[in-house]
Amino acid sequence: MEVEYLRMLPAIDSVTESRITYSRQFQIDCMRRYLQGEKPTAIFTSAGLSPSVIGHKRIERNIARWKRDESIMEKVKQPKSSDAPVNTTPSELPEVALGKIQSLVCQVLSLNERIEELERTVEELRKGNND
């Protein structure tokens, strides 16, 4: 479920059950925003990559790895690179909002699956106590 959701996001190049490959554009834009003071979690969430889906640790590791990547940081430091916008423009706001909505939908679906799993466990326990 989450893998299919992640495959739909523009920030993702590819995804498997154990690995996510982010687009170069997202990596550069992410680091620009990070260096401007935006929190990593907010950056990822705005791209539809909620910590509840990909995990806080993965976000932290990506930021740390991309900070050490000279080619990414070189692009980030270019004043008006054609690779990524420095700031979100009004025309990009719907995409940011859509990313947040997609992230929330994925969280709801994930929580719903967990609730169903817990309900099955409770039902099994009730059956076991009635025997």
Side-chain angles (χ1 to χ4, degrees):
M1 168 59 111
E2 289 173 355
V3 170
E4 292 303 317
Y5 164 74
L6 291 171
R7 284 187 179 131
M8 297 184 315
L9 298 176
I12 303 296
D13 267 350
S14 65
V15 63
T16 66
E17 291 294 332
S18 61
R19 185 176 211 84
I20 299 173
T21 304
Y22 301 90
S23 72
R24 193 63 159 181
Q25 176 70 35
F26 175 71
Q27 294 172 7
I28 293 165
D29 187 43
C30 179
M31 291 312 297
R32 274 203 180 102
R33 292 168 64 184
Y34 175 75
L35 292 176
Q36 291 174 351
E38 199 169 338
K39 297 204 179 300
T41 301
I43 298 167
F44 275 73
T45 300
S46 73
L49 300 163
S50 167
S52 68
V53 175
I54 65 170
H56 287 282
K57 222 28 161 174
R58 181 173 268 149
I59 292 172
E60 292 170 14
R61 280 188 243 134
N62 285 322
I63 294 292
R65 186 173 62 252
W66 297 342
K67 265 198 258 189
R68 293 187 310 268
D69 187 315
E70 291 178 18
S71 67
I72 291 174
M73 296 312 291
E74 185 178 309
K75 293 277 188 188
V76 167
K77 292 174 185 173
Q78 293 175 356
K80 286 286 185 179
S81 173
S82 61
D83 286 322
V86 174
N87 295 313
T88 303
T89 64
S91 65
E92 293 170 318
L93 289 177
E95 289 180 26
V96 170
L98 181 59
K100 287 182 181 179
I101 291 168
Q102 290 172 330
S103 179
L104 291 171
V105 167
C106 193
Q107 289 176 51
V108 168
L109 292 173
S110 179
L111 289 171
N112 190 48
E113 288 176 12
R114 180 69 177 137
I115 289 169
E116 289 174 359
E117 179 184 314
L118 291 170
E119 286 175 341
R120 284 190 296 273
T121 301
V122 167
E123 188 60 34
E124 290 172 11
L125 290 170
R126 284 185 182 150
K127 286 180 184 176
N129 287 337
N130 291 337
D131 290 343

